[in-house]
Amino acid sequence: MRATARVEQDTRRDGRRVLVIGSGFGGLAAAVRLAARGWRVTVLERRAVPGGRAHAFQQDGFTFDAGPTVITCPHLLEELWALAGQRLSEHVELRPVAPLYRMRFPDGFTFDYHTDRERMLEAVRRVSPGDEAGYLALSARVERMYEAGIGPLMSAPVPHVLSLAPFTAALVRDEAFRTMYGLVSRHVKDERLRQALSFHPLLIGGSPFSAASAVYTSIQFVERRWGGFFPVGGTGALVRGLVSLLESLGGEVRYDSEVSEITVEGRKATGVRLGSGEWLPAEAVVSNADAAWTYRYLLPRHVRSHWTDDRIQQARYSMSVFLWYFGTRRQYPEVAHHTLLFGRDFRGMFSGLSGSGQPSQDPLLYLHRPTATDSGLAPPGHDAFYVLAPVPHLGEGSNWKARAETFRRMLAERLSRTVLPGLESEWVTSRVFTPEDFRDDLRSFRGAAFSFAPTLLQTTFLRAQAKSEDVDRLYLVGAGTHPGAGLPAVLCSAKIVDTVMAEA
């Protein structure tokens, strides 16, 4: 998974058009790869700005990243620039973040989570000296698990169960099919350390208490091996960099261009129809729209024998999130770039997120303070923040418009009495984003922030595939497809699309 030299252009594709629906990281990464192979690429974005779930916005002098803020596996980004004979570092500056996370527990105890091995060991000893050996054993197991199976599976098509055969024995040996919390608990005994080492599925919409979630301990290995970073200018700077990279390869992004239909002749995709009525023909279509939304709303029923309405309806969907973006008139220098505030019932919070329902009143919160790394994202002397609370996806009778302000105040009160004293009198700009916004603004099915839930029965060959099971010349990329959600996985899904399209 290291950066490679520029790919040889596929002359069979030269001049043929591919349409990419959506300009999220997956769509832009796929577009760059295909443009480098000689495809004539047009990305269609329904909004006025690029990025999809990773878009950025400005408000009252502050810059906010709407989506992912933890950048790992920078080599996957470097690889995209290398395909065009360029270097990522010449266009986007990535600054290391240390500690990667600061964790605060209900009793006020704080734990700094580092990607550096020695600093992490020092932090483990501070929490629980007796757990150092267990932590080292867990780290060794996680590394074996990644190298023997998870790493190779991340960037390879997995169209059927036999695709798993070369990796199954190693994954079983290292107990990848246990729950993540269970695997961590076998190695460390301190409850705070158990939570600190098993929260990671939250980053991709999953639970550490679900079957086979132990595979997500691989995120810890990825963080240790490649580090954690933040782009100067925010995550939006990466998005803008990818757009510029695509344009340098001859591709284009069309904004305010909502796709209302993927047109099909027989069982072949022939192009797309826009909401304006305009039809755009193409030799191939790549959808970076939400996978469930793509099948349910962009394709007619009669071509969907695999992704039927019933299958889409009965699938399990990830949690959603409630986001409050705010800026303060003062700075909070003691607050780290990434802060996790744990609630009193770690297990109970996740069980309440497994379907539609009521949000926890004491959830694990993720507080993002990008100005800790890049002060230019706020006016001088100010700080920019967002706080993320995991909440259930939308169900019958969900009405976030009526409850959003009450929920925001609950978050503000909790932040005020923990890490941001006096917050209610300090914030000067504010915006909230609810599960209904995920559905209405980002076209996420049921408002799920991470598409299909990352469960055992919705992973690898049981997840949406890069090559559509229903329609020829249609390909899917992004969080709802194999290998799943999270920036590294989404970038890998673009690599898989590139592979299967090159073989077509």
Side-chain angles (χ1 to χ4, degrees):
M1 288 172 44
R2 288 292 183 188
T4 61
R6 184 172 181 172
V7 298
E8 182 176 342
Q9 191 174 81
D10 186 345
T11 56
R12 296 174 302 164
R13 315 299 182 193
D14 195 26
R16 302 180 72 191
R17 172 181 267 192
V18 58
L19 298 172
V20 179
I21 304 170
S23 65
F25 273 117
L28 289 175
V32 166
R33 289 182 173 278
L34 296 174
R37 286 197 182 276
W39 285 89
R40 186 159 51 98
V41 182
T42 299
V43 178
L44 302 166
E45 171 56 53
R46 66 176 295 272
R47 305 173 83 252
V49 295
R53 299 179 195 191
H55 71 276
F57 65 92
Q58 288 74 43
Q59 182 170 296
D60 299 328
F62 295 82
T63 297
F64 297 100
D65 287 316
T69 54
V70 182
I71 307 300
T72 56
C73 296
H75 60 284
L76 293 174
L77 293 163
E78 292 166 356
E79 188 172 287
L80 296 173
W81 266 264
L83 292 174
Q86 302 180 42
R87 296 176 65 87
L88 168 65
S89 59
E90 295 173 354
H91 300 270
V92 181
E93 179 187 351
L94 295 180
R95 290 180 179 170
V97 177
L100 185 55
Y101 310 104
R102 176 162 293 154
M103 304 178 183
R104 188 183 192 279
F105 294 90
D107 62 1
F109 184 85
T110 60
F111 175 76
D112 283 355
Y113 180 106
H114 291 276
T115 59
D116 177 79
R117 181 180 184 274
E118 292 307 314
R119 296 183 74 181
M120 186 63 175
L121 280 174
E122 183 181 337
V124 169
R125 292 187 203 106
R126 178 171 169 259
V127 178
S128 178
D131 277 326
E132 179 181 354
Y135 170 73
L136 289 171
L138 174 66
S139 298
R141 181 184 291 261
V142 168
E143 181 172 354
R144 289 196 308 269
M145 195 186 302
Y146 182 89
E147 297 288 9
I150 296 169
L153 283 170
M154 284 283 287
S155 54
V158 187
H160 45 70
V161 66
L162 294 179
S163 306
L164 296 176
F167 313 105
T168 302
L171 292 175
V172 170
R173 179 197 65 208
D174 284 312
E175 301 181 276
F177 300 104
R178 294 176 63 91
T179 71
M180 184 171 181
Y181 183 83
L183 182 64
V184 169
S185 296
R186 288 195 63 184
H187 292 82
V188 301
K189 304 307 178 187
D190 185 271
E191 179 58 26
R192 294 166 301 183
L193 194 54
R194 287 175 172 179
Q195 294 181 23
L197 295 174
S198 61
F199 82 92
H200 285 86
L202 187 68
L203 302 176
I204 56 172
S207 166
F209 299 100
S210 63
S213 59
V215 298
Y216 301 120
T217 54
S218 61
I219 300 174
Q220 297 175 20
F221 172 72
V222 163
E223 292 169 341
R224 288 196 305 272
R225 181 166 180 177
W226 287 291
F229 301 85
F230 187 73
V232 173
T235 308
L238 267 180
V239 172
R240 294 189 296 274
L242 284 169
V243 170
S244 296
L245 180 63
L246 173 63
E247 291 172 344
S248 75
L249 291 166
E252 64 171 341
V253 181
R254 284 183 53 174
Y255 301 103
D256 299 309
S257 299
E258 180 166 14
V259 173
S260 60
E261 177 188 3
I262 298 170
T263 58
V264 178
E265 184 177 308
R267 289 184 54 83
K268 291 184 178 179
T270 59
V272 306
R273 194 173 306 281
L274 303 182
S276 64
E278 180 183 4
W279 179 59
L280 301 176
E283 281 72 35
V285 175
V286 176
S287 180
N288 184 216
D290 180 81
W293 192 281
T294 295
Y295 281 113
R296 178 62 180 84
Y297 296 114
L298 300 185
L299 286 167
R301 281 194 185 92
H302 72 270
V303 301
R304 292 188 280 115
S305 59
H306 187 84
W307 289 101
T308 63
D309 286 359
D310 284 345
R311 178 172 183 153
I312 294 167
Q313 201 67 24
Q314 292 168 13
R316 294 183 62 184
Y317 292 89
S318 80
M319 68 187 74
S320 190
V321 298
F322 180 99
L323 289 155
W324 177 33
Y325 307 92
F326 59 95
T328 58
R329 71 178 83 248
R330 56 160 288 193
Q331 293 178 322
Y332 291 86
E334 67 281 7
V335 176
H337 189 123
H338 307 293
T339 300
L340 297 172
L341 291 92
F342 285 80
R344 285 178 163 70
D345 186 1
F346 186 64
R347 182 186 295 268
M349 184 204 74
F350 282 100
S351 64
L353 296 172
S354 60
S356 60
Q358 296 299 314
S360 169
Q361 294 303 299
D362 188 30
L364 191 163
L365 301 181
Y366 164 58
L367 179 66
H368 180 229
R369 178 180 170 245
T371 37
T373 301
D374 181 3
S375 62
L377 298 174
H382 294 59
D383 260 339
F385 293 92
Y386 81 55
V387 61
L388 178 155
V391 298
H393 62 248
L394 297 174
E396 293 294 329
S398 297
N399 186 359
W400 274 98
K401 289 182 175 60
R403 70 204 296 189
E405 177 57 16
T406 299
F407 198 78
R408 185 206 66 79
R409 288 181 179 177
M410 183 268 286
L411 298 181
E413 188 277 329
R414 184 170 165 192
L415 293 172
S416 291
R417 61 180 162 82
T418 52
V419 294
L420 301 178
L423 174 60
E424 275 298 297
S425 61
E426 296 291 349
W427 64 263
V428 293
T429 190
S430 172
R431 182 187 295 190
V432 299
F433 201 84
T434 75
E436 289 171 351
D437 294 310
F438 274 92
R439 179 194 62 198
D440 301 337
D441 194 35
L442 297 178
R443 299 294 193 259
S444 297
F445 195 79
R446 293 189 183 168
F450 306 90
S451 192
F452 297 115
T455 63
L456 180 61
L457 297 180
Q458 292 186 160
T459 189
T460 58
F461 68 96
L462 296 172
R463 203 167 180 85
Q465 296 298 301
K467 185 178 186 297
S468 172
E469 300 95 331
D470 288 316
V471 177
D472 294 334
R473 304 199 314 202
L474 172 63
Y475 304 87
L476 280 78
V477 66
T481 67
H482 168 71
L487 182 56
V490 165
L491 293 175
C492 285
S493 76
K495 183 182 290 192
I496 294 171
V497 163
D498 185 24
T499 298
V500 299
M501 289 185 69
E503 294 172 349

